[in-house]
Amino acid sequence: MDTKQLPLRKCVACGQMVPKDGLFRVVKTADGIQLDITCKAQGRGAYVCKNKECIDMAVKRKSFNRSLRQAVPTEVFDNLYMELENDR
Ligand SMILES: [Zn+2]
């Protein structure tokens, strides 16, 4: 398997470099912070692995707040968990 073509991004929770398709993107836009399903929204983005452990850790440690320099609304995390369910 060759994954070299996929750009790597750093997960805010575990700190590992992961191919983009293994990550959820959270983006800071003019409208606030939101989950970016399409990965096409403009703005500063932060990434988390598509697994419960990393999302849990990001919530607990407020990793997104640090990375985006702004408090992340709880709806964003609700959406992350929802997408995780859908992704199975
Ligand atoms: Zn991770």
Side-chain angles (χ1 to χ4, degrees):
M1 198 171 69
D2 184 13
T3 53
K4 278 180 203 156
Q5 303 301 321
L6 278 167
L8 296 176
R9 292 290 180 269
K10 194 175 174 184
C11 168
V12 294
C14 64
Q16 290 200 61
M17 298 300 285
V18 180
K20 270 181 90 175
D21 66 346
L23 298 157
F24 288 125
R25 181 170 191 248
V26 173
V27 68
K28 183 166 149 183
T29 70
D31 300 327
I33 292 174
Q34 47 196 246
L35 178 59
D36 178 22
I37 302 295
T38 60
C39 288
K40 280 177 184 150
Q42 296 283 325
R44 186 187 173 88
Y47 298 83
V48 68
C49 298
K50 288 183 177 175
N51 66 55
K52 193 174 179 299
E53 288 71 28
C54 280
I55 299 174
D56 282 346
M57 213 194 299
V59 172
K60 226 179 281 175
R61 293 187 183 168
K62 302 189 195 302
S63 308
F64 281 114
N65 297 20
R66 247 201 328 265
S67 183
L68 298 172
R69 297 171 202 286
Q70 191 174 322
V72 177
T74 47
E75 305 98 79
V76 172
F77 296 119
D78 293 343
N79 288 338
L80 276 173
Y81 286 117
M82 234 159 55
E83 281 304 314
L84 190 65
E85 288 295 316
N86 294 343
D87 210 57
R88 271 177 205 165

